[in-house]
Amino acid sequence: MKALTERILHYTILIVVTVFSAIVMWKLSAKSQQAESHTESGIRPLSAIAVPKAPVAVESLEVETCEIYSTYAGKIQPWETYQVGFEVPGRVYRLGENEAGQPLDEGDRVVKGQVLALMDDRVFVARKDEAAARVAQAESDLDRAQQVRQTSPSALSAAELQRLVTEVALAKSQLQVAVKNLEDATLRAPVNATISKRMVKSGESVSGNQIVFELVQNDKVLLVVDVPEAQIRELETRQREVAECRGNVTRQEDAESCVFRAHVHLEGTDSFGNSWPELSGEVFRIPEVADSRTGLFPVEIELANDDRHLRPGMVATADVVTARLPGYAIPEAAVLFRAHRAYMFAVEPERAEMELLYWNLGSAKVYRARQIELPQWVDQGPKIVVPADSVELENAIVRGQFRLSDGQLVRIVDSPTITPTVAASSSSIKSGSPGR
């Protein structure tokens, strides 16, 4: 009897524990379902104000006139080179003098008509005097013969009179030659120039047309750059546009568009590592024929050189402007390249509600990143130029854009023209160029 009682008690306890466990599991399951129901119907995710945002730097963009250029390297050459010498042989008596009163030498500046060198002219003076005496003698003989013929026509034949006329003409011609030789004994500068080479010294004998000085015109100089055949057509097109523009320009502000501009940069730096100032030049000549040795076209760019700091032989690069058009100049770091695509990110402001527990505190401005495809663009070194008619832009994310996705919320930092997360939106940036 005792064993039966213990068995019944044992089964009763098991049944009670099982029922209790079932009740507990049912209660926990009901609570879980209730929590899921509340989440689906009533509890909302974090608002845009509270969502973590990626920090970015933004630069404003605006439409401006952009220059599209191609870069070429070359050397500076003198505007013109003159090799001058005496036309007659003789001995150099003395050289001309510079501003300091010293004999002319390489590097000295001369002006048009200035004496470069003098030849010993004693022989030329004597020959001139001899020729002048012969002219006087021939004219005297002719005068006497004409007087005789007037008084007695038969005393002097017409042939003899003609011979005397010829002798006068020959004597005058010899006098002109003697005067010319005397003038040639003084060597003068044909233009304002700088002496680049001096070939003789005082006391040396020279032959006719022997080079005595080499002069270079350097008030203006030429930067000669080599342009490949594939790009010469673009320069020719621009040159024709400039020529047409000059014939139709009516306003002063349009004059810049009528110049075939080139921005020139000298190679090297100063003692502090600073680049030399940019020089403004103008394309002077595009040759008709390529250089037979290199197959390239030596295009000449005119540069002013009033201070004569530019010396022939200097190396420089020229950014030759091939087009000027309205567009956006976007910092190169802001543009992302994937395969053949180019795109960038810009920020767009929007309003978001600020909620605290059960209270709505109003709206605030937040920024969202938007991916923008660039259908046309040109790489211009530190800038990527996009034509204004191909896309509309207001700003560009210039830092923090590499891990962004389209539509991601961002926080603006370190942007001078856009106030971070306050009621200020991005300004405009623009700049342009023909697409690739």
Side-chain angles (χ1 to χ4, degrees), residues 240-359:
R240 293 171 185 173
E241 290 175 353
V242 168
E244 293 177 2
C245 177
R246 287 176 176 171
N248 300 326
V249 63
T250 57
R251 298 184 304 171
Q252 184 63 30
E253 53 267 28
D254 296 334
E256 185 62 26
S257 299
C258 300
V259 177
F260 198 168
R261 186 70 64 198
H263 305 290
V264 176
H265 309 271
L266 295 176
E267 293 298 313
T269 59
D270 60 17
S271 301
F272 299 97
N274 300 316
S275 299
W276 299 111
E278 180 183 286
L279 305 174
S280 180
E282 183 176 354
V283 174
F284 176 70
R285 186 177 72 92
I286 300 176
E288 294 294 330
V289 181
D291 190 302
S292 59
R293 297 170 301 172
T294 63
L296 303 175
F297 288 81
V299 175
E300 298 176 353
I301 299 173
E302 177 184 342
L303 296 172
N305 190 31
D306 297 332
D307 53 9
R308 291 184 289 281
H309 285 167
L310 301 178
R311 301 294 182 91
M314 286 183 171
V315 178
T317 57
D319 296 332
V320 180
V321 178
T322 57
R324 300 180 81 250
L325 48 82
Y328 303 95
I330 306 172
E332 184 182 26
V335 181
L336 305 177
F337 300 94
R338 296 291 184 271
H340 299 291
R341 295 172 52 238
Y343 62 93
M344 54 167 283
F345 284 95
V347 295
E348 292 182 355
E350 62 180 46
R351 308 300 298 186
E353 299 297 325
M354 293 190 301
E355 296 181 349
L356 180 62
L357 297 178
Y358 303 103
W359 295 277

Side-chain angles (χ1 to χ4, degrees), residues 224-244:
V224 181
V225 297
D226 293 325
V227 180
E229 176 272 336
Q231 300 176 12
I232 200 69
R233 183 181 180 88
E234 187 176 34
L235 300 188
E236 289 179 345
T237 301
R238 174 61 179 167
Q239 188 177 49
R240 293 171 185 173
E241 290 175 353
V242 168
E244 293 177 2

Side-chain angles (χ1 to χ4, degrees), residues 149-184:
R149 188 173 176 78
Q150 288 177 357
T151 57
S152 178
S154 60
L156 188 68
S157 65
E160 184 65 20
L161 182 63
Q162 183 61 41
R163 182 185 66 80
L164 293 175
V165 172
T166 303
E167 286 184 356
V168 171
L170 290 175
K172 288 183 177 180
S173 298
Q174 292 173 354
L175 177 60
Q176 291 178 354
V177 172
V179 171
K180 177 66 167 57
N181 289 339
L182 180 59
E183 292 176 350
D184 290 342

Side-chain angles (χ1 to χ4, degrees), residues 30 39 55 60 73 75 93 112 146 162 178 190 200 205 323 359 362 381:
T39 300
S60 297
K75 283 188 177 182
Y93 174 64
K112 183 178 181 179
Q146 289 175 339
Q162 183 61 41
V200 300
S205 296
W359 295 277

Side-chain angles (χ1 to χ4, degrees), residues 76 144 206:
I76 292 177
R144 286 196 300 270
V206 295

